[in-house]
Amino acid sequence: MLGRKWDTVHEGRDGWLFLTGGSNRVMDRYARGLVGGLRHWWHLRGWARLMEARAARAGRLGIRCLHVIVPEKLSVYENHTRDLPYDPAQASTRRLARRLAGKPYYLDLLSPFRAARDGPVPLYLRTDTHWTIEGCLLAYREIMRALAAVPPADIAERPDYAEERVLDLGEKLPHQPTERLRRPQIQRDAVRVETGTLLAAYEAAGRAKDLHVGAHVVYRNEAAPDPRRLVLFGDSCAHFAPILLTGYLAESFAEVHFVWSSSLDWGYVERVRPDILLFELAERFLARLPADDFDVRAGHRAGGRPVPTEAAPAVS
């Protein structure tokens, strides 16, 4: 039965669903014991060294580098699980926070998320792996504080719309529960001024929702309160559409480049020469240590996917 074993989805209390399996082997992010614990430690050691090396390389270019790992729901809301045999104290985000405490290139989100988890509004959707508007705003404010930036005064008051939907964890269950999904309409001053080749092709084919890794956009904001340029390598918690973290940042900084990738493209960074290099990644994707061999122009890692053929004629 789902919720009684380490399956893809764990059914917790009060309708809360948690990702426990999948290709990223989510439960490995909580490994303990002689073999699993040592493998977990060694893997996070690799991440810590990678972050340090990235920050040093960025520093030589005069760029501030900051890494943000978005905690899994399991790391924050173990009180909503039901008899799940795991130890949230072993979470990768908790271990990284201890290892990298005081390092200017790492921002701990787990502590503020756990501190706010019992607030009036959940930080994550109950039937989805992603954060709510409130969770995203909390992370955004922490990032802005770490970057010594001031959010627009009305950023939390932007309108939103809601719809009842079956979300990513709900659709994995036989009864497919629905949930009210709220999306903020953040964009007001920022304008998308550049669209990567791969995203343009998917949009022309009407398939933008199918694109993940390789999506690339640039937003410019002449009314931004912060004049700095920011390059963000991230995932669906940021997104190329201005509906989550990328949207909030685009309303805050003069220029924001978003690239959907856990692997950096240093050639791109050197061409853009941003003031800030921000890296965002969901905790489960720590499963793979990137080689930083991404090619923004091609829209993929070395040897990655091509532009879809049905959209190719629409691309100049």
Side-chain angles (χ1 to χ4, degrees):
M1 177 187 297
L2 291 173
R4 296 297 180 181
K5 62 180 181 178
W6 289 8
D7 210 321
T8 301
V9 177
H10 169 76
E11 291 188 76
R13 306 176 190 278
D14 302 319
W16 280 80
L17 303 180
F18 298 85
L19 182 67
T20 53
S23 60
N24 292 296
R25 298 174 59 90
V26 173
M27 299 308 287
D28 286 355
R29 307 278 65 76
Y30 306 90
R32 60 184 305 173
L34 183 60
V35 177
L38 180 60
R39 186 183 299 116
H40 192 194
W41 177 88
W42 189 262
H43 187 70
L44 292 180
R45 178 174 179 264
W47 268 104
R49 288 190 166 189
L50 176 64
M51 292 179 190
E52 181 181 18
R54 284 174 169 178
R57 183 168 179 175
R60 291 192 293 270
L61 296 170
I63 300 170
R64 168 72 194 282
C65 181
L66 183 65
H67 293 82
V68 177
I69 306 301
V70 179
E72 290 296 310
K73 285 165 68 175
L74 286 169
S75 301
V76 178
Y77 283 112
E78 80 279 358
N79 55 324
H80 288 308
T81 64
R82 189 193 304 272
D83 302 326
L84 187 65
Y86 84 110
D87 183 359
Q90 303 301 320
S92 296
T93 43
R94 189 182 294 269
R95 291 186 173 196
L96 283 174
R98 288 198 300 264
R99 176 184 286 270
L100 299 175
K103 302 296 184 183
Y105 52 82
Y106 183 78
L107 175 63
D108 171 29
L109 284 185
L110 181 61
S111 296
F113 268 56
R114 288 185 64 85
R117 73 177 187 176
D118 296 322
V121 182
L123 304 176
Y124 292 81
L125 293 157
R126 290 173 183 259
T127 62
D128 196 273
T129 56
H130 295 88
W131 47 24
T132 58
I133 294 176
E134 289 72 21
C136 189
L137 272 170
L138 175 57
Y140 161 76
R141 291 190 181 105
E142 293 293 323
I143 291 169
M144 294 292 280
R145 186 177 298 114
L147 296 175
V150 179
D154 68 338
I155 196 68
E157 300 168 6
R158 304 290 167 92
D160 63 74
Y161 64 93
E163 58 181 328
E164 195 76 13
R165 286 181 51 186
V166 177
L167 302 178
D168 67 1
L169 294 178
E171 68 183 9
K172 297 180 185 298
L173 299 183
H175 54 288
Q176 297 203 329
T178 63
E179 183 172 3
R180 185 171 179 264
L181 174 66
R182 289 171 53 223
R183 284 294 191 208
Q185 295 177 292
I186 305 167
Q187 189 174 15
R188 186 186 65 195
D189 301 320
V191 178
R192 193 169 90 175
V193 296
E194 184 178 335
T195 304
T197 301
L198 191 60
L199 177 56
Y202 272 79
E203 287 183 334
R207 294 176 51 200
K209 64 181 179 61
D210 298 327
L211 180 60
H212 303 103
V213 176
H216 167 224
V217 291
V218 179
Y219 289 93
R220 195 163 293 140
N221 186 349
E222 295 183 359
D226 196 301
R228 288 177 289 179
R229 178 183 297 156
L230 181 148
V231 168
L232 165 61
F233 285 83
D235 56 28
S236 56
C237 290
H239 211 279
F240 56 82
I243 56 174
L244 292 171
L245 185 57
T246 299
Y248 288 117
L249 294 171
E251 288 295 304
S252 308
F253 291 92
E255 191 170 293
V256 171
H257 299 233
F258 170 75
V259 180
W260 196 319
S261 172
S262 62
S263 184
L264 302 190
D265 179 345
W266 281 105
Y268 184 82
V269 173
E270 291 171 1
R271 289 191 298 274
V272 174
R273 286 298 178 107
D275 301 285
I276 300 163
L277 173 60
L278 179 61
F279 177 82
E280 172 275 315
L281 191 72
E283 184 173 3
R284 60 188 173 277
F285 296 127
L286 289 171
R288 296 173 177 82
L289 191 65
D292 285 353
D293 59 352
F294 197 78
D295 186 341
V296 172
R297 286 174 171 170
H300 54 69
R301 292 175 55 240
R305 82 181 105 181
V307 172
T309 55
E310 64 268 29
V315 180
S316 58

